[in-house]
Amino acid sequence: MSPRSGSPDPPRVFLGLRRIPADLGPTAVTIGVFDGVHRGHQALLGRVVDQARARGITAGAITFDRHPMEIVGRGGRVPMLSTLRQRIALLGAAGMEFVVVLPFTLRLSRMPAEEFAIKILLEAVAARVIVVGANFRFGHGATGNPDLLAGLTRPRGVEVIAVSLDGEAGEAISSTRIRAALASGDVATAARLLGRPFAVEGHVIRGDRRGRLLGVPTANLRVPARLALPAKGIYAGHLHIMGRALDTRERAASGPLPAVSSVGVNPQFGGSDLRVEAHVLDFDGDLYDRHVRLSFEHRLRDEAAFPDVAALVAQMEQDIRQARELLAGPDAR
């Protein structure tokens, strides 16, 4: 199997070591959580593709079904930048021909670094070259690092390449930093570090229909509880309908639709549950039960309660005008 170049096909996905086929062949591989598949990850994945192409072998990535800190850390659930499904798709878009998803269990966390390297990287995927981040740690107690890995693999003729995940001028790029940017509502920094606007995927569910009564109908998104979200506020971005295409009655072309979104509790009406809602500009179709992706490209303002409903509607209309200008781009202003 030769490395693909620009193939639209999704990667082959193996859920656990036992699902890896015996005929996978030699590989160029990387391993990590890859949450968000940010610009640092993309540079590392690019090296995997280059090595696979140069050697005529298969490019792939090994990742985990959850963040390891959920098992070995004390902080509980880690807010993820992407679902596993999104992560796999992003890894495929970066050129990975296969993705191995390992269940991160307490047993796996206690595996010694040497056993982890030999059993998973050398035997399970027959690695001929292993590309990792310069700060990569693995094995029980995080005792494994690129130097230890190189010492274990060199006698077998396997090369280890450690890649810095920093950006230009040494800018630190990490999933942790992106989470912090989102928590403060700084979606511009998050987009710069990701290499694309931050987006969430979810299903549109029926809400209280209050937006429609106010003349600004919104789609209510049910997003996975473990996903990170931007800080409470109002944002401009795009909504993309996944899967089934819109029909002509819905007056929508293929591609993302401009939208104003809200992340918050709807304080104007005494809400308490955190919601993600989106008003799609110039759209009169039915989005119920659709699976959508919503991007957050510009922060417009904080969430707020207004003196009365008329003031709220006036502000929403201002939000829409501002979103139109921002999403149209400088050439259209």
Side-chain angles (χ1 to χ4, degrees), residues 103-333:
F104 198 91
T105 61
L106 190 59
R107 180 179 179 183
L108 182 64
S109 74
R110 291 174 175 172
M111 184 180 292
E114 294 82 359
E115 181 183 354
F116 185 97
I118 293 171
K119 181 176 180 180
I120 295 175
L121 296 172
L122 298 179
E123 296 180 351
V125 296
R128 295 295 180 267
V129 59
I130 302 168
V131 183
V132 295
N135 62 349
F136 176 62
R137 298 294 181 270
F138 66 99
H140 183 56
T143 56
N145 58 33
D147 290 338
L148 176 65
L149 184 59
L152 290 170
T153 60
R154 192 177 300 114
R156 297 172 179 246
V158 176
E159 183 180 2
V160 172
I161 300 174
V163 177
S164 171
L165 301 187
D166 291 343
E168 296 83 358
E171 180 183 32
I173 301 177
S174 70
S175 301
T176 299
R177 188 178 173 204
I178 295 169
R179 292 187 194 100
L182 290 173
S184 66
D186 187 358
V187 293
T189 292
R192 189 180 74 252
L193 299 177
L194 284 167
R196 63 184 184 279
F198 175 74
V200 298
E201 291 186 12
H203 279 87
V204 178
I205 60 175
R206 294 188 180 275
D208 50 30
R209 301 177 67 86
R210 188 178 289 119
R212 187 172 297 277
L213 294 175
L214 297 176
V216 187
T218 60
N220 290 264
L221 273 65
R222 182 177 62 215
V223 300
R226 66 171 57 192
L227 277 187
L229 289 172
K232 294 177 184 177
I234 310 302
Y235 299 86
H238 288 86
L239 183 140
H240 182 79
I241 298 151
M242 315 289 286
R244 181 164 60 92
L246 292 170
D247 58 41
T248 54
R249 180 186 58 82
E250 293 167 316
R251 294 173 47 203
S254 61
L257 306 168
V260 177
S261 60
S262 167
V263 178
V265 297
N266 202 344
Q268 186 74 34
F269 300 99
S272 58
D273 296 330
L274 188 67
R275 294 184 177 187
V276 179
E277 302 178 64
H279 169 67
V280 184
L281 277 55
D282 306 319
F283 178 81
D284 64 356
D286 183 0
L287 292 174
Y288 288 128
D289 297 324
R290 298 291 185 92
H291 187 74
V292 302
R293 180 172 65 241
L294 178 66
S295 65
F296 300 86
E297 300 171 32
H298 305 277
R299 181 175 174 88
L300 303 182
R301 61 177 174 86
D302 292 340
E303 181 182 53
F306 295 86
D308 51 43
V309 172
L312 169 63
V313 171
Q315 180 59 60
M316 293 168 73
E317 292 173 348
Q318 173 59 32
D319 295 338
I320 292 171
R321 288 192 294 270
Q322 185 180 0
R324 286 189 191 280
E325 294 179 2
L326 290 169
L327 297 175
D331 294 340
R333 294 177 195 173

